[in-house]
Amino acid sequence: MRRSQLFLPTLKETPAEAQIVSHRLMMRAGMVRQTSAGIYAWLPMGFRVLKKIEQIVREEQDRSGAQEVLMPTIQPADLWRQSGRYDDYGKEMLRIKDRHDRDMLFGPTNEEMITEIFKAYVKSYRDLPKNLYHIQWKFRDEVRPRFGVMRGREFLMKDAYSFDLDYPSSRHAYNKMFVAYLKTFARMGLKAIPMQADTGPIGGDLSHEFIILADTGESQVFCHKDYVDFDVSGQPIDFDDVAGVQKVVERWTSLYAATDEKHDTAAFEKIPAEKRVTARGIEVGHIFHFGTKYSEPLGAKVTGPNGDIVTVLMGSYGIGVSRLVGGLIEASHDEAGIIWPEAVSPWGVGVVNLKVGDGECDKVSGDLYAKLGNAGREPLYDDRDERAGSKLADMDLIGLPWQVIVGPRGLKSGVVEVKNRRTGEKQELSPEAALNRLTA
Ligand code: ATP
Ligand code: MG
């Protein structure tokens, strides 16, 4: 992409309404535009990051055996009357009437709808287990939408739903998602710690929130310090290996980690004082096991192996896809701007031509741009005729992990500069060596 053609409305000034760094940087980098309170339009750069995150989430869901579907945003109220949540959900639910005066709503989550779909088709234990997920916009009329996309009213969520015949199998479904989440966040370069959590309006007996530690987080959390240094990447996992998956979950639940609602002061104080972490955190994922809470009222039953009728056991598993865009920036930035982890960066390499119009600079920059593109590095070429200083500041602000800086002075001695955005480290290399460095 050529910067001269790109719709990337960066701002010099910091917008007054943005209270936290991720919101400020998203506005300054022209990633989103607020269209009403807590509702955002995604501009090209923001949308590219959102799609990269979504794709990682998708791949890890698929790998764990979940299957993607797409349910609508608008749901009939009657479904929610069956589960009893139509009244319980309160003002957070956006209620709508259609032209026939039927009660509809903009879905804040999809437990009822997926249970109804499941029930319509699955009649036998032979069709179990199943885990179905979608990545779809949700609406929750939050009292205080704030912090940009971190607490929006309309937001993108991945939500998965598991269906099983008995507790051991349902617990394995929960464990698989637990491990898939560890992998998902690790791939994004994030350290998300699973913590015991309250189940809120979703309900159930077992629940973990995946939390990234950040001063600006809205949750108060408590955990053992060792979790902060735990390695999440780990070995490839066989999701059918029940004991193997269980072992990973056990490792990640062996130490104390809880959110405010589940905090147990006595248990926490048993940890040596220097190992106690009390911090703020951002909830990026939340998983629930709730048994028959929805399958019972909605009548999702199958014939069991002995001909008996069994109400299926369920869990649900959410990831805040759009919240992650802000969360990633909270976790990775400096005074100059955003620092994208490679896996979610909107473009792979920024090519900065310091002197547009200079024959040699244009030739070398254009050539690097073309070759980086051919190598699949998704380059962003700043080919605008602007001051060098402001182009460099802009490139730092948008935070691509690598920059190649092409200027007349360097070219005189046959070199360009390759800069690592995170470390700030710069290397002078010939254009060919730079290309090798960035495509290796
Ligand atoms: P919170 O406690 O932050 O209000 P929640 O517990 O109500 O979130 P869940 O029902 O667990 O949310 O939803 C699953 C995920 O969706 C959350 O872990 C979070 O990452 C994301 N999410 C929830 N509410 C919002 C929101 N208003 N804006 C952006 N993302 C959200
Ligand atoms: Mg939650």
Side-chain angles (χ1 to χ4, degrees):
M1 173 57 79
R2 283 174 182 273
R3 184 69 170 83
S4 59
Q5 286 157 25
L6 176 63
F7 181 53
L8 182 70
T10 54
L11 305 175
K12 294 262 176 316
E13 321 287 276
T14 296
E17 72 271 26
Q19 302 164 33
I20 61 169
V21 67
S22 60
H23 190 195
R24 280 200 291 276
L25 289 172
M26 285 183 75
M27 306 283 285
R28 281 195 48 214
M31 293 176 67
V32 288
R33 168 86 184 164
Q34 180 170 300
T35 57
S36 9
I39 305 181
Y40 292 85
W42 293 79
L43 308 185
M45 172 165 149
F47 191 48
R48 285 180 77 94
V49 176
L50 188 69
K51 284 194 292 182
K52 295 241 159 130
I53 294 173
E54 184 182 318
Q55 188 54 23
I56 292 174
V57 170
R58 175 176 289 118
E59 285 170 16
E60 294 305 323
Q61 291 292 292
D62 291 348
R63 210 189 297 280
S64 79
Q67 298 174 43
E68 189 169 13
V69 298
L70 182 59
M71 289 178 270
T73 54
I74 306 293
Q75 307 187 19
D78 278 343
L79 256 183
W80 287 68
R81 292 198 175 101
Q82 290 179 49
S83 70
R85 279 209 295 183
Y86 190 61
D87 295 323
D88 291 355
Y89 224 93
K91 289 200 159 184
E92 268 192 21
M93 180 185 277
L94 180 65
R95 295 154 208 262
I96 311 164
K97 272 192 196 298
D98 71 9
R99 65 196 297 163
H100 304 292
D101 224 29
R102 278 187 291 249
D103 293 322
M104 312 288 285
L105 57 100
F106 196 120
T109 177
N110 284 62
E111 280 81 8
E112 285 79 357
M113 183 171 277
I114 196 77
T115 307
E116 200 283 323
I117 293 171
F118 173 89
K119 171 192 156 184
Y121 301 107
V122 180
K123 309 286 183 195
S124 160
Y125 75 96
R126 286 196 189 83
D127 297 324
L128 294 178
K130 283 279 169 294
N131 185 328
L132 304 173
Y133 75 97
H134 72 162
I135 301 174
Q136 176 63 292
W137 294 91
K138 304 291 187 290
F139 194 94
R140 294 182 186 174
D141 206 350
E142 303 272 356
V143 203
R144 277 214 297 161
R146 57 185 186 150
F147 301 160
V149 298
M150 299 253 269
R151 182 164 300 283
R153 293 198 295 164
E154 191 179 83
F155 59 95
L156 189 59
M157 193 204 284
K158 183 286 299 181
D159 39 326
Y161 303 89
S162 63
F163 300 89
D164 288 272
L165 187 67
D166 54 27
Y167 186 78
S169 135
S170 169
R171 186 56 215 247
H172 178 52
Y174 184 90
N175 288 348
K176 282 201 283 191
M177 280 292 118
F178 189 110
V179 174
Y181 276 35
L182 291 174
K183 292 189 163 293
T184 302
F185 298 124
R187 268 186 71 186
M188 293 174 197
L190 275 181
K191 168 132 294 171
I193 302 172
M195 304 201 183
Q196 281 185 49
D198 204 26
T199 54
I202 310 279
D205 54 7
L206 171 67
S207 178
H208 287 90
E209 280 179 11
F210 287 73
I211 302 274
I212 50 183
L213 301 183
D215 294 341
T216 48
E218 292 188 276
S219 313
Q220 181 71 42
V221 298
F222 306 85
C223 72
H224 195 291
K225 189 164 181 296
D226 288 0
Y227 275 140
V228 180
D229 309 313
F230 258 38
D231 175 28
V232 277
S233 45
Q235 307 297 316
I237 182 118
D238 172 2
F239 281 96
D240 294 327
D241 172 7
V242 174
V245 172
Q246 170 84 26
K247 232 171 94 189
V248 180
V249 174
E250 275 164 14
R251 178 163 180 266
W252 276 95
T253 48
S254 57
L255 300 172
Y256 188 86
T259 61
D260 211 8
E261 298 85 5
K262 283 282 177 182
H263 185 46
D264 172 351
T265 320
F268 189 57
E269 278 167 6
K270 286 201 191 115
I271 305 173
E274 74 280 5
K275 292 282 190 184
R276 284 179 217 153
V277 175
T278 301
R280 308 291 298 174
I282 301 169
E283 177 193 332
V284 288
H286 196 168
I287 60 178
F288 305 84
H289 183 269
F290 44 68
T292 58
K293 179 171 164 147
Y294 301 93
S295 48
E296 180 73 58
L298 290 156
K301 302 184 181 104
V302 296
T303 312
N306 308 318
D308 44 339
I309 303 293
V310 183
T311 302
V312 296
L313 300 180
M314 293 176 59
S316 78
Y317 314 91
I319 291 184
V321 176
S322 52
R323 175 178 286 181
L324 272 165
V325 180
L328 277 156
I329 299 175
E330 287 296 324
S332 182
H333 65 270
D334 62 14
E335 304 82 73
I338 303 167
I339 306 174
W340 292 115
E342 294 262 359
V344 298
S345 185
W347 293 276
V349 183
V351 180
V352 186
N353 181 348
L354 292 179
K355 196 155 189 207
V356 172
D358 173 284
E360 198 57 16
C361 284
D362 290 353
K363 185 171 158 293
V364 172
S365 305
D367 194 50
L368 280 168
Y369 171 56
K371 289 180 175 153
L372 286 164
N374 290 338
R377 292 293 280 132
E378 300 182 292
L380 176 65
Y381 175 23
D382 194 344
D383 57 341
R384 295 169 306 163
D385 187 9
E386 281 193 20
R387 275 194 316 109
S390 93
K391 287 168 74 166
L392 291 171
D394 226 50
M395 200 51 96
D396 280 350
L397 170 66
I398 66 173
L400 310 184
W402 295 98
Q403 301 172 7
V404 219
I405 301 157
V406 181
R409 213 175 311 147
L411 286 185
K412 268 201 193 107
S413 31
V415 295
V416 298
E417 202 172 65
V418 172
K419 175 175 157 182
N420 180 300
R421 174 69 181 85
R422 188 175 296 280
T423 61
E425 195 186 320
K426 292 176 184 165
Q427 245 185 314
E428 291 196 331
L429 298 170
S430 70
E432 301 73 55
L435 191 67
N436 286 336
R437 176 80 188 74
L438 292 167
T439 53

CSV table of all heavy atoms in Angstrom, one decimal, residues 324-370:
chain,number,residue,atom,x,y,z
A,324,LEU,N,-9.6,-6.5,22.1
A,324,LEU,CA,-8.1,-6.9,22.0
A,324,LEU,C,-7.3,-5.8,21.2
A,324,LEU,O,-6.1,-5.7,21.5
A,324,LEU,CB,-8.0,-8.2,21.3
A,324,LEU,CG,-8.1,-9.4,22.2
A,324,LEU,CD1,-8.3,-10.7,21.4
A,324,LEU,CD2,-6.8,-9.6,23.1
A,325,VAL,N,-7.9,-5.1,20.3
A,325,VAL,CA,-7.2,-4.1,19.6
A,325,VAL,C,-6.6,-3.1,20.6
A,325,VAL,O,-5.5,-2.7,20.6
A,325,VAL,CB,-8.0,-3.4,18.5
A,325,VAL,CG1,-7.2,-2.4,17.7
A,325,VAL,CG2,-8.6,-4.5,17.5
A,326,GLY,N,-7.5,-2.6,21.5
A,326,GLY,CA,-7.1,-1.7,22.5
A,326,GLY,C,-6.2,-2.3,23.5
A,326,GLY,O,-5.1,-1.8,23.9
A,327,GLY,N,-6.5,-3.6,23.9
A,327,GLY,CA,-5.7,-4.3,24.9
A,327,GLY,C,-4.3,-4.5,24.4
A,327,GLY,O,-3.3,-4.4,25.2
A,328,LEU,N,-4.1,-4.8,23.1
A,328,LEU,CA,-2.8,-5.0,22.6
A,328,LEU,C,-2.0,-3.7,22.7
A,328,LEU,O,-0.8,-3.7,22.9
A,328,LEU,CB,-2.9,-5.5,21.1
A,328,LEU,CG,-3.1,-7.0,21.0
A,328,LEU,CD1,-3.8,-7.3,19.6
A,328,LEU,CD2,-1.8,-7.7,21.1
A,329,ILE,N,-2.6,-2.6,22.4
A,329,ILE,CA,-1.9,-1.3,22.4
A,329,ILE,C,-1.5,-1.0,23.9
A,329,ILE,O,-0.4,-0.5,24.2
A,329,ILE,CB,-2.7,-0.2,21.8
A,329,ILE,CG1,-3.0,-0.5,20.3
A,329,ILE,CG2,-2.0,1.2,21.9
A,329,ILE,CD1,-3.9,0.5,19.6
A,330,GLU,N,-2.5,-1.2,24.8
A,330,GLU,CA,-2.1,-1.0,26.2
A,330,GLU,C,-0.9,-1.8,26.6
A,330,GLU,O,-0.1,-1.3,27.4
A,330,GLU,CB,-3.3,-1.4,27.1
A,330,GLU,CG,-4.5,-0.5,27.1
A,330,GLU,CD,-4.3,0.9,27.6
A,330,GLU,OE1,-3.5,1.1,28.6
A,330,GLU,OE2,-4.9,1.8,27.1
A,331,ALA,N,-0.8,-3.0,26.1
A,331,ALA,CA,0.3,-3.9,26.5
A,331,ALA,C,1.6,-3.5,25.7
A,331,ALA,O,2.7,-4.0,26.1
A,331,ALA,CB,-0.1,-5.3,26.3
A,332,SER,N,1.5,-2.8,24.6
A,332,SER,CA,2.7,-2.6,23.7
A,332,SER,C,2.7,-1.3,23.0
A,332,SER,O,2.1,-1.1,21.9
A,332,SER,CB,2.7,-3.8,22.7
A,332,SER,OG,3.8,-3.7,21.9
A,333,HIS,N,3.4,-0.3,23.7
A,333,HIS,CA,3.5,1.0,23.1
A,333,HIS,C,4.6,1.7,23.8
A,333,HIS,O,5.2,1.2,24.8
A,333,HIS,CB,2.2,1.8,23.3
A,333,HIS,CG,1.9,2.1,24.8
A,333,HIS,ND1,1.2,1.3,25.6
A,333,HIS,CD2,2.3,3.1,25.6
A,333,HIS,CE1,1.2,1.7,26.8
A,333,HIS,NE2,1.9,2.8,26.9
A,334,ASP,N,5.1,2.9,23.3
A,334,ASP,CA,6.0,3.8,24.0
A,334,ASP,C,5.6,5.2,23.8
A,334,ASP,O,4.5,5.4,23.2
A,334,ASP,CB,7.5,3.5,23.6
A,334,ASP,CG,7.7,3.7,22.1
A,334,ASP,OD1,6.9,4.4,21.5
A,334,ASP,OD2,8.8,3.3,21.6
A,335,GLU,N,6.4,6.2,24.1
A,335,GLU,CA,6.0,7.6,24.0
A,335,GLU,C,5.7,7.9,22.5
A,335,GLU,O,4.9,8.8,22.2
A,335,GLU,CB,7.1,8.6,24.5
A,335,GLU,CG,7.5,8.4,25.9
A,335,GLU,CD,8.5,7.3,26.0
A,335,GLU,OE1,9.7,7.5,25.6
A,335,GLU,OE2,8.2,6.2,26.5
A,336,ALA,N,6.4,7.3,21.6
A,336,ALA,CA,6.3,7.6,20.2
A,336,ALA,C,5.0,7.0,19.6
A,336,ALA,O,4.6,7.5,18.5
A,336,ALA,CB,7.5,7.2,19.4
A,337,GLY,N,4.5,6.0,20.2
A,337,GLY,CA,3.3,5.4,19.6
A,337,GLY,C,3.1,3.9,19.8
A,337,GLY,O,3.6,3.4,20.8
A,338,ILE,N,2.4,3.3,18.9
A,338,ILE,CA,2.1,1.9,19.0
A,338,ILE,C,3.3,1.1,18.6
A,338,ILE,O,4.1,1.5,17.8
A,338,ILE,CB,0.9,1.6,18.1
A,338,ILE,CG1,-0.3,2.5,18.3
A,338,ILE,CG2,0.5,0.1,18.1
A,338,ILE,CD1,-1.4,2.4,17.3
A,339,ILE,N,3.4,-0.1,19.2
A,339,ILE,CA,4.4,-1.1,18.8
A,339,ILE,C,3.6,-2.4,18.5
A,339,ILE,O,3.4,-3.2,19.5
A,339,ILE,CB,5.5,-1.3,19.9
A,339,ILE,CG1,6.1,0.0,20.3
A,339,ILE,CG2,6.5,-2.3,19.3
A,339,ILE,CD1,7.1,-0.1,21.4
A,340,TRP,N,3.3,-2.7,17.3
A,340,TRP,CA,2.5,-3.9,17.0
A,340,TRP,C,3.4,-5.2,17.1
A,340,TRP,O,4.4,-5.2,16.5
A,340,TRP,CB,1.9,-3.9,15.6
A,340,TRP,CG,0.8,-2.8,15.5
A,340,TRP,CD1,0.9,-1.7,14.7
A,340,TRP,CD2,-0.4,-2.8,16.1
A,340,TRP,NE1,-0.3,-1.0,14.8
A,340,TRP,CE2,-1.1,-1.6,15.7
A,340,TRP,CE3,-1.1,-3.6,17.1
A,340,TRP,CZ2,-2.4,-1.3,16.1
A,340,TRP,CZ3,-2.3,-3.2,17.5
A,340,TRP,CH2,-3.0,-2.1,17.1
A,341,PRO,N,2.9,-6.2,17.8
A,341,PRO,CA,3.5,-7.5,17.7
A,341,PRO,C,3.3,-7.9,16.2
A,341,PRO,O,2.3,-7.6,15.6
A,341,PRO,CB,2.6,-8.4,18.6
A,341,PRO,CG,1.9,-7.5,19.5
A,341,PRO,CD,1.7,-6.2,18.8
A,342,GLU,N,4.3,-8.6,15.7
A,342,GLU,CA,4.3,-9.0,14.2
A,342,GLU,C,3.0,-9.6,13.8
A,342,GLU,O,2.5,-9.3,12.7
A,342,GLU,CB,5.4,-10.1,14.0
A,342,GLU,CG,6.8,-9.6,14.1
A,342,GLU,CD,7.5,-9.2,12.8
A,342,GLU,OE1,6.9,-9.3,11.8
A,342,GLU,OE2,8.7,-8.7,12.9
A,343,ALA,N,2.5,-10.5,14.6
A,343,ALA,CA,1.3,-11.3,14.2
A,343,ALA,C,0.1,-10.5,13.9
A,343,ALA,O,-0.8,-11.0,13.2
A,343,ALA,CB,1.0,-12.4,15.2
A,344,VAL,N,-0.1,-9.3,14.5
A,344,VAL,CA,-1.3,-8.6,14.3
A,344,VAL,C,-1.0,-7.2,13.6
A,344,VAL,O,-2.0,-6.4,13.5
A,344,VAL,CB,-2.0,-8.3,15.7
A,344,VAL,CG1,-2.4,-9.6,16.3
A,344,VAL,CG2,-1.1,-7.5,16.6
A,345,SER,N,0.2,-7.0,13.2
A,345,SER,CA,0.5,-5.7,12.7
A,345,SER,C,-0.2,-5.4,11.3
A,345,SER,O,-0.4,-6.3,10.5
A,345,SER,CB,2.0,-5.6,12.4
A,345,SER,OG,2.4,-4.3,12.0
A,346,PRO,N,-0.8,-4.2,11.2
A,346,PRO,CA,-1.6,-4.0,10.0
A,346,PRO,C,-0.8,-4.1,8.7
A,346,PRO,O,-1.3,-4.5,7.6
A,346,PRO,CB,-2.0,-2.5,10.1
A,346,PRO,CG,-1.1,-1.9,11.1
A,346,PRO,CD,-0.7,-3.0,12.0
A,347,TRP,N,0.5,-3.7,8.7
A,347,TRP,CA,1.4,-4.0,7.6
A,347,TRP,C,2.7,-4.5,8.2
A,347,TRP,O,3.0,-4.3,9.4
A,347,TRP,CB,1.7,-2.7,6.8
A,347,TRP,CG,0.5,-2.2,6.1
A,347,TRP,CD1,0.1,-2.6,4.8
A,347,TRP,CD2,-0.4,-1.2,6.5
A,347,TRP,NE1,-1.1,-2.0,4.5
A,347,TRP,CE2,-1.4,-1.1,5.5
A,347,TRP,CE3,-0.5,-0.4,7.7
A,347,TRP,CZ2,-2.5,-0.2,5.6
A,347,TRP,CZ3,-1.6,0.4,7.8
A,347,TRP,CH2,-2.6,0.5,6.8
A,348,GLY,N,3.5,-5.2,7.4
A,348,GLY,CA,4.7,-5.9,8.0
A,348,GLY,C,5.9,-5.0,8.1
A,348,GLY,O,6.6,-5.0,9.1
A,349,VAL,N,6.1,-4.1,7.1
A,349,VAL,CA,7.3,-3.2,7.0
A,349,VAL,C,6.9,-1.9,6.5
A,349,VAL,O,6.1,-1.8,5.6
A,349,VAL,CB,8.3,-3.8,6.1
A,349,VAL,CG1,9.6,-3.0,6.1
A,349,VAL,CG2,8.7,-5.3,6.4
A,350,GLY,N,7.4,-0.8,7.1
A,350,GLY,CA,7.2,0.5,6.6
A,350,GLY,C,8.4,0.9,5.8
A,350,GLY,O,9.5,0.8,6.2
A,351,VAL,N,8.2,1.4,4.5
A,351,VAL,CA,9.3,1.9,3.7
A,351,VAL,C,9.2,3.4,3.7
A,351,VAL,O,8.2,3.9,3.3
A,351,VAL,CB,9.2,1.4,2.3
A,351,VAL,CG1,10.4,1.9,1.4
A,351,VAL,CG2,9.2,-0.2,2.2
A,352,VAL,N,10.2,4.1,4.2
A,352,VAL,CA,10.2,5.5,4.3
A,352,VAL,C,11.1,6.1,3.3
A,352,VAL,O,12.4,6.0,3.5
A,352,VAL,CB,10.5,6.1,5.7
A,352,VAL,CG1,10.2,7.6,5.8
A,352,VAL,CG2,9.6,5.4,6.8
A,353,ASN,N,10.6,6.8,2.3
A,353,ASN,CA,11.4,7.5,1.4
A,353,ASN,C,11.6,9.0,1.9
A,353,ASN,O,10.7,9.8,1.9
A,353,ASN,CB,10.7,7.5,0.0
A,353,ASN,CG,11.6,8.2,-1.1
A,353,ASN,OD1,12.5,8.9,-0.8
A,353,ASN,ND2,11.1,8.0,-2.3
A,354,LEU,N,12.8,9.3,2.3
A,354,LEU,CA,13.1,10.6,3.0
A,354,LEU,C,13.1,11.7,2.0
A,354,LEU,O,12.9,12.9,2.4
A,354,LEU,CB,14.4,10.6,3.8
A,354,LEU,CG,14.4,9.7,5.0
A,354,LEU,CD1,15.7,9.7,5.7
A,354,LEU,CD2,13.3,10.1,6.0
A,355,LYS,N,13.4,11.4,0.7
A,355,LYS,CA,13.4,12.5,-0.3
A,355,LYS,C,12.7,12.2,-1.6
A,355,LYS,O,13.3,11.7,-2.5
A,355,LYS,CB,14.9,12.9,-0.5
A,355,LYS,CG,15.0,14.3,-1.2
A,355,LYS,CD,16.3,15.0,-0.9
A,355,LYS,CE,16.2,16.4,-1.5
A,355,LYS,NZ,17.5,16.9,-1.8
A,356,VAL,N,11.4,12.3,-1.5
A,356,VAL,CA,10.6,12.0,-2.7
A,356,VAL,C,11.0,13.0,-3.8
A,356,VAL,O,11.1,14.2,-3.5
A,356,VAL,CB,9.1,12.0,-2.4
A,356,VAL,CG1,8.3,11.9,-3.6
A,356,VAL,CG2,8.8,10.9,-1.4
A,357,GLY,N,11.2,12.5,-5.0
A,357,GLY,CA,11.6,13.4,-6.1
A,357,GLY,C,13.1,13.2,-6.4
A,357,GLY,O,13.5,13.5,-7.5
A,358,ASP,N,13.9,12.7,-5.5
A,358,ASP,CA,15.3,12.4,-5.7
A,358,ASP,C,15.3,11.0,-6.5
A,358,ASP,O,14.8,10.0,-5.9
A,358,ASP,CB,16.0,12.3,-4.4
A,358,ASP,CG,17.4,11.8,-4.5
A,358,ASP,OD1,17.6,10.6,-4.7
A,358,ASP,OD2,18.3,12.7,-4.4
A,359,GLY,N,15.9,11.1,-7.6
A,359,GLY,CA,15.9,9.9,-8.5
A,359,GLY,C,16.3,8.6,-7.8
A,359,GLY,O,15.6,7.6,-7.9
A,360,GLU,N,17.4,8.7,-7.1
A,360,GLU,CA,18.0,7.5,-6.5
A,360,GLU,C,17.1,7.0,-5.4
A,360,GLU,O,16.8,5.8,-5.2
A,360,GLU,CB,19.4,7.8,-6.0
A,360,GLU,CG,20.3,6.6,-5.7
A,360,GLU,CD,20.4,5.6,-6.9
A,360,GLU,OE1,20.2,6.0,-8.1
A,360,GLU,OE2,20.8,4.5,-6.7
A,361,CYS,N,16.6,7.9,-4.5
A,361,CYS,CA,15.7,7.6,-3.4
A,361,CYS,C,14.5,6.9,-3.9
A,361,CYS,O,14.0,5.9,-3.4
A,361,CYS,CB,15.4,8.8,-2.6
A,361,CYS,SG,16.7,9.4,-1.5
A,362,ASP,N,13.9,7.5,-4.9
A,362,ASP,CA,12.6,7.0,-5.5
A,362,ASP,C,12.9,5.6,-6.0
A,362,ASP,O,12.0,4.7,-5.8
A,362,ASP,CB,12.1,7.9,-6.6
A,362,ASP,CG,11.6,9.2,-6.1
A,362,ASP,OD1,11.5,9.4,-4.9
A,362,ASP,OD2,11.3,10.1,-7.0
A,363,LYS,N,14.0,5.4,-6.7
A,363,LYS,CA,14.2,4.1,-7.4
A,363,LYS,C,14.4,3.0,-6.3
A,363,LYS,O,13.8,2.0,-6.4
A,363,LYS,CB,15.5,4.2,-8.3
A,363,LYS,CG,15.8,3.0,-9.0
A,363,LYS,CD,16.9,3.2,-10.1
A,363,LYS,CE,17.5,1.9,-10.5
A,363,LYS,NZ,18.3,1.3,-9.4
A,364,VAL,N,15.3,3.3,-5.3
A,364,VAL,CA,15.6,2.3,-4.3
A,364,VAL,C,14.3,2.0,-3.5
A,364,VAL,O,14.0,0.8,-3.2
A,364,VAL,CB,16.8,2.7,-3.4
A,364,VAL,CG1,17.0,1.8,-2.2
A,364,VAL,CG2,18.1,2.8,-4.3
A,365,SER,N,13.6,3.0,-3.1
A,365,SER,CA,12.4,2.8,-2.2
A,365,SER,C,11.4,2.0,-3.0
A,365,SER,O,10.8,1.1,-2.5
A,365,SER,CB,11.8,4.2,-1.9
A,365,SER,OG,12.7,5.0,-1.2
A,366,GLY,N,11.1,2.4,-4.3
A,366,GLY,CA,10.1,1.8,-5.1
A,366,GLY,C,10.5,0.3,-5.3
A,366,GLY,O,9.6,-0.6,-5.3
A,367,ASP,N,11.8,0.0,-5.5
A,367,ASP,CA,12.2,-1.3,-5.7
A,367,ASP,C,12.1,-2.2,-4.4
A,367,ASP,O,11.6,-3.3,-4.5
A,367,ASP,CB,13.7,-1.2,-6.1
A,367,ASP,CG,14.2,-2.5,-6.6
A,367,ASP,OD1,13.6,-3.1,-7.5
A,367,ASP,OD2,15.3,-3.0,-6.1
A,368,LEU,N,12.4,-1.6,-3.3
A,368,LEU,CA,12.2,-2.3,-2.0
A,368,LEU,C,10.7,-2.6,-1.8
A,368,LEU,O,10.4,-3.7,-1.3
A,368,LEU,CB,12.8,-1.5,-0.8
A,368,LEU,CG,14.3,-1.5,-0.6
A,368,LEU,CD1,14.7,-0.4,0.4
A,368,LEU,CD2,14.7,-2.9,-0.1
A,369,TYR,N,9.9,-1.6,-2.0
A,369,TYR,CA,8.5,-1.7,-1.9
A,369,TYR,C,7.9,-2.9,-2.7
A,369,TYR,O,7.2,-3.8,-2.2
A,369,TYR,CB,7.8,-0.4,-2.2
A,369,TYR,CG,6.3,-0.5,-2.3
A,369,TYR,CD1,5.5,-0.9,-1.2
A,369,TYR,CD2,5.6,-0.1,-3.5
A,369,TYR,CE1,4.2,-1.0,-1.3
A,369,TYR,CE2,4.2,-0.1,-3.5
A,369,TYR,CZ,3.5,-0.6,-2.4
A,369,TYR,OH,2.2,-0.7,-2.5
A,370,ALA,N,8.4,-2.9,-4.0
A,370,ALA,CA,7.9,-4.0,-4.9
A,370,ALA,C,8.3,-5.4,-4.4
A,370,ALA,O,7.6,-6.3,-4.3
A,370,ALA,CB,8.4,-3.7,-6.3
